[in-house]
Amino acid sequence: MSNLELGIIGNCMYSALIDRKGRVVWCCLPRFDGDPIFCSLINGDEDDVQEGFFDIVIDDFSHSEQHYEHNTAILVTTLYDQHGAAVQITDFAPRFRRYGHMHRSQRLIRRLQPINGTPRISIRMRPTYDYGARPMQTIQGSNYIQYVAPGTCFRMSTDMPVSYILDETPFLLEEPSALTFGPDEPLRYTVAEATRESYEQTLQYWREWTRSLSIPFEWQKAVIRAAITLKLCCFEETGAVIAAMTTSIPEAAGTERNWDYRYCWLRDAYFVVSALNRLGATGTMEEYLDYISNIAAVADDRLLQPVYGIALEKKLIECTIRSLRGYRNHRPVRVGNQAYEHIQNDIYGSVIMAATQAFFDRRLAHPGDRRLFERLENLGRQCTRLYNVPDASLWEFRGFSRVHTFSAIMCWAGCDRLARIADHMELYDRGQYWHAQAERIRTEIEANAYDPERNTFVGSFGGSELDASLLLLHDLQFLAADDPRFIGTVEAVEKELRRGNHMMRYMDPDDFGAPRNAFNICTFWMIGALAAIGRTEDARGMFEEMLSCRNHLGLLSEDIDPQTGEMWGNFPQTYSMVGIIHSAMVLSKSWEEAF
């Protein structure tokens, strides 16, 4: 049965997901949102899938082991047979500096090493196109195979017998060998030389990158893995950060909550920038800010979309793919995302808050200037217009709209940050204006979204429902941590939405009924809120529980079944990686305290 016990490799251009037996089950080329040439992850039960994967099979399989090379995105899988023979598979996507530029070819490299005895293996290479509808055609060369689909051609080069691979013939692996799969281009060196050089330089890149990170004293391994995974979710060409690598992994068993997450959501902007800033990953942060600035540059008085494509595409038309049977046969499989048409008024504040970093961070090569401030003021004007207008909320409700409290608070935050930027730039008249706008919005929020009898803020103006976004009132600096209203809100949300050590995002039925699984980022929000109000031990307990729910490689999806701890939802989830980083930073003892 398919599951999310998967590893990820990538190079900020494309990625691949690999299961515990070394099977590539998901890979979109030439970039994250492309046609998945390996798509078996979302094509029914694993044992029934005949196409859309790339694996190395050992005869008389016994068991496997899997780990990452220390502080890298290089994945090592070892397959053992029942007689003790073993083959080690090292998978990676090349990423290193060459001639002053970052080399990140869309090439999957698999190095094979017999490490005990003489394992007998077979290689099954079965790429598809048109979302699994058809297998690619093959053309045999001297030491390569071309895989051909309409309008594209890939090449696998190898130092193993090509005929064995084409026929999937079992053979004895007696010496180190390698395969590369990617663009239809010949290698400049032998396969052995090219893959060895790429391995060594990619290993060096990732270890140098992780050495530059700022990490907490506690939970270092978890934070480093989350940071590498967050980096892998960056489309470096434009600076976009995708929500997840996959489409249509359902939020819960037996539901149709299947969405395509291979795009960039503006609601994530502030949280992603905050995590990158905490890590000291300023290069990645600045690239993401450039992406955000490009969106702000065309805003003027037009409404922003909640989500954009990784190269600023606006139309992400949602359709159903009938050629794929879905993750564990959960249909529909969706491509595109209707959310690009939604009205979500929180996004203006999110963009402003993310861009605020550019005005105060002296490390950045391109600090914020008057021109960027004026672009952000265009978004601020939308905040003043839309803070009390019904929307779909950050939860993207499809069937109804309300004046959501979180959206209003994000609009307040946008005005508040504009005031701070203006004061910093000594634009005191603009600062006075935005301070006044922020205060006006705050007054209305407090009048319409606070329930004094229950001592809690509520999810919408005049409503009674609660949702987990209210846990961010302190983090967004709307309320102080010791404000009785914040403490009351945390306690009310906890009482209604906490399930053991996991948090639901809300409980009222939506377009698809009542949610059944916990939403991981909400659990991390609760961890932060508990720490803020002094319940540190409870927060640490929740955090340790969340870490125990990661898969064997330290990765998390979007959702967790609070009863079983099983992961659901698209994978790996950027929000969840951000949550690990933020929680560890908040809860860890300092380096000074540790010694």
Side-chain angles (χ1 to χ4, degrees):
M1 179 182 291
S2 297
N3 58 50
L4 298 181
E5 294 295 310
L6 307 171
I8 177 178
I9 64 169
N11 61 5
C12 302
M13 180 63 75
Y14 89 95
S15 64
L17 298 180
I18 301 171
D19 73 10
R20 297 189 80 148
K21 293 183 179 180
R23 173 184 284 194
V24 181
V25 296
W26 182 259
C27 179
C28 299
L29 285 173
R31 61 186 211 179
F32 297 135
D33 56 354
D35 187 356
I37 58 173
F38 302 122
C39 56
S40 61
L41 178 65
I42 59 170
N43 198 19
D45 292 330
E46 181 180 6
D47 294 338
D48 298 333
V49 177
Q50 300 300 314
E51 303 288 346
F53 59 83
F54 179 9
D55 65 1
I56 290 103
V57 180
I58 190 169
D59 280 9
D60 299 322
F61 172 79
S62 169
H63 65 283
S64 65
E65 297 174 351
Q66 197 171 54
H67 68 276
Y68 279 107
E69 293 271 25
H70 179 62
N71 288 356
T72 74
I74 299 173
L75 185 65
V76 179
T77 307
T78 305
L79 306 178
Y80 296 86
D81 69 17
Q82 296 173 12
H83 314 289
V87 56
Q88 185 178 82
I89 309 163
T90 301
D91 290 311
F92 65 97
R95 180 175 173 82
F96 49 84
R97 290 203 172 275
R98 173 184 283 172
Y99 310 127
H101 299 283
M102 186 62 68
H103 175 76
R104 49 175 190 264
S105 66
Q106 295 122 318
R107 192 179 298 278
L108 168 63
I109 296 180
R110 316 200 76 181
R111 304 178 79 203
L112 279 60
Q113 169 80 38
I115 59 171
N116 193 37
T118 306
R120 192 165 184 260
I121 67 167
S122 55
I123 297 171
R124 302 192 299 173
M125 176 69 175
R126 301 181 184 180
T128 62
Y129 68 96
D130 194 15
Y131 283 86
R134 300 171 182 82
M136 291 187 181
Q137 302 301 307
T138 58
I139 301 173
Q140 181 174 352
S142 57
N143 65 339
Y144 66 89
I145 304 169
Q146 289 176 309
Y147 293 87
V148 182
T152 191
C153 181
F154 297 95
R155 176 185 296 226
M156 183 173 73
S157 300
T158 184
D159 50 12
M160 290 178 280
V162 170
S163 295
Y164 288 171
I165 296 172
L166 277 172
D167 298 336
E168 299 182 0
T169 302
F171 64 95
L172 295 174
L173 184 69
E174 298 184 288
E175 57 187 24
S177 302
L179 309 105
T180 73
F181 177 79
D184 185 26
E185 302 168 355
L187 299 175
R188 295 191 300 165
Y189 314 110
T190 66
V191 172
E193 291 172 330
T195 57
R196 182 178 62 253
E197 178 189 30
S198 289
Y199 169 79
E200 291 171 352
Q201 293 191 61
T202 300
L203 184 80
Q204 180 182 9
Y205 166 80
W206 283 113
R207 289 189 173 165
E208 288 181 352
W209 187 80
T210 54
R211 274 201 298 269
S212 71
L213 297 176
S214 299
I215 59 173
F217 177 77
E218 297 180 87
W219 305 295
Q220 293 183 35
K221 187 175 180 180
V223 170
I224 289 171
R225 182 52 50 198
I228 291 173
T229 308
L230 180 58
K231 177 70 174 176
L232 293 178
C233 291
C234 301
F235 184 63
E236 199 166 60
E237 183 178 311
T238 65
V241 179
I242 59 174
M245 298 294 181
T246 58
T247 179
S248 303
I249 309 296
E251 295 178 9
T255 72
E256 294 186 4
R257 296 177 184 269
N258 302 358
W259 317 115
D260 191 346
Y261 273 18
R262 299 172 297 163
Y263 309 113
C264 186
W265 268 259
L266 295 187
R267 72 178 180 207
D268 300 350
Y270 163 69
F271 302 103
V272 170
V273 167
S274 177
L276 292 171
N277 180 47
R278 286 172 179 266
L279 289 167
T282 53
T284 304
M285 181 176 70
E286 192 157 19
E287 290 162 2
Y288 187 44
L289 288 173
D290 286 344
Y291 177 88
I292 296 296
S293 296
N294 271 295
I295 292 173
V298 298
D300 297 327
D301 291 327
R302 288 172 287 179
L303 296 178
L304 291 180
Q305 296 176 190
V307 57
Y308 289 84
I310 59 177
L312 297 176
E313 295 90 350
K314 293 183 178 180
K315 290 190 175 182
L316 307 175
I317 298 172
E318 186 176 298
C319 61
T320 298
I321 301 297
R322 301 189 182 280
S323 52
L324 293 172
R325 291 174 291 174
Y327 179 78
R328 299 190 188 174
N329 292 306
H330 283 74
R331 285 176 165 160
V333 172
R334 306 179 202 265
V335 171
N337 200 301
Q338 184 193 331
Y340 83 93
E341 298 178 323
H342 290 181
I343 302 299
Q344 290 178 225
N345 297 332
D346 61 292
I347 58 179
Y348 303 96
S350 185
V351 170
I352 294 169
M353 290 182 69
T356 298
Q357 188 75 25
F359 294 89
F360 293 91
D361 195 330
R362 296 296 182 183
R363 297 169 297 176
L364 303 186
H366 305 290
D369 55 16
R370 182 66 181 266
R371 184 171 54 179
L372 177 58
F373 176 68
E374 290 172 353
R375 290 173 184 167
L376 297 180
E377 284 197 297
N378 289 332
L379 302 183
R381 282 188 279 275
Q382 297 287 27
C383 290
T384 64
R385 290 178 48 243
L386 299 174
Y387 72 92
N388 59 359
V389 175
D391 71 350
S393 96
L394 83 161
W395 306 125
E396 298 176 351
F397 296 123
R398 296 190 172 203
F400 61 87
S401 62
R402 298 170 179 159
V403 179
H404 290 96
T405 303
F406 179 78
S407 296
I409 289 173
M410 289 299 288
C411 287
W412 166 85
C415 295
D416 176 76
R417 298 327 187 259
L418 283 172
R420 299 187 196 191
I421 296 169
D423 290 345
H424 177 71
M425 298 178 70
E426 299 182 355
L427 302 172
Y428 299 118
D429 57 334
R430 301 309 301 158
Q432 185 177 14
Y433 172 80
W434 288 113
H435 278 298
Q437 295 301 315
E439 189 58 33
R440 178 173 66 88
I441 296 173
R442 170 188 283 278
T443 299
E444 192 163 340
I445 292 171
E446 291 176 339
N448 291 283
Y450 176 66
D451 184 339
E453 292 185 6
R454 297 160 65 193
N455 187 30
T456 182
F457 280 81
V458 292
S460 62
F461 281 21
S464 59
E465 79 286 355
L466 301 176
D467 78 70
S469 66
L470 299 170
L471 296 169
L472 294 169
L473 292 174
H474 166 64
D475 197 47
L476 298 174
Q477 300 180 33
F478 186 80
L479 294 178
D482 59 358
D483 189 316
R485 295 173 299 172
F486 178 62
I487 297 171
T489 299
V490 173
E491 292 173 347
V493 171
E494 179 181 27
K495 181 178 180 181
E496 184 159 321
L497 300 181
R498 184 169 177 172
R499 302 292 182 271
N501 279 320
H502 302 280
M503 292 296 299
M504 309 298 289
R505 52 189 164 179
Y506 50 83
M507 282 308 298
D508 285 358
D510 58 20
D511 320 63
F512 298 89
R516 298 215 305 265
N517 280 350
F519 205 66
N520 290 335
I521 190 59
C522 298
T523 303
F524 290 118
W525 290 347
M526 175 56 84
I527 290 168
L530 290 175
I533 64 175
R535 291 172 54 186
T536 305
E537 289 307 310
D538 197 1
R540 291 175 69 93
M542 289 189 80
F543 185 50
E544 292 288 357
E545 173 73 15
M546 284 300 299
L547 292 181
S548 73
C549 290
R550 298 173 302 156
N551 72 10
H552 63 296
L553 294 169
L555 307 181
L556 267 178
S557 63
E558 180 186 50
D559 308 270
I560 284 179
D561 184 328
Q563 301 298 320
T564 66
E566 184 178 13
M567 292 191 296
W568 288 86
N570 282 306
F571 177 93
Q573 180 75 8
T574 296
Y575 246 170
S576 297
M577 297 302 105
V578 167
I580 290 172
I581 294 164
H582 181 267
S583 295
M585 297 283 192
V586 167
L587 294 174
S588 174
K589 66 177 68 173
S590 70
W591 286 84
E592 290 76 16
E593 291 176 297
F595 299 105

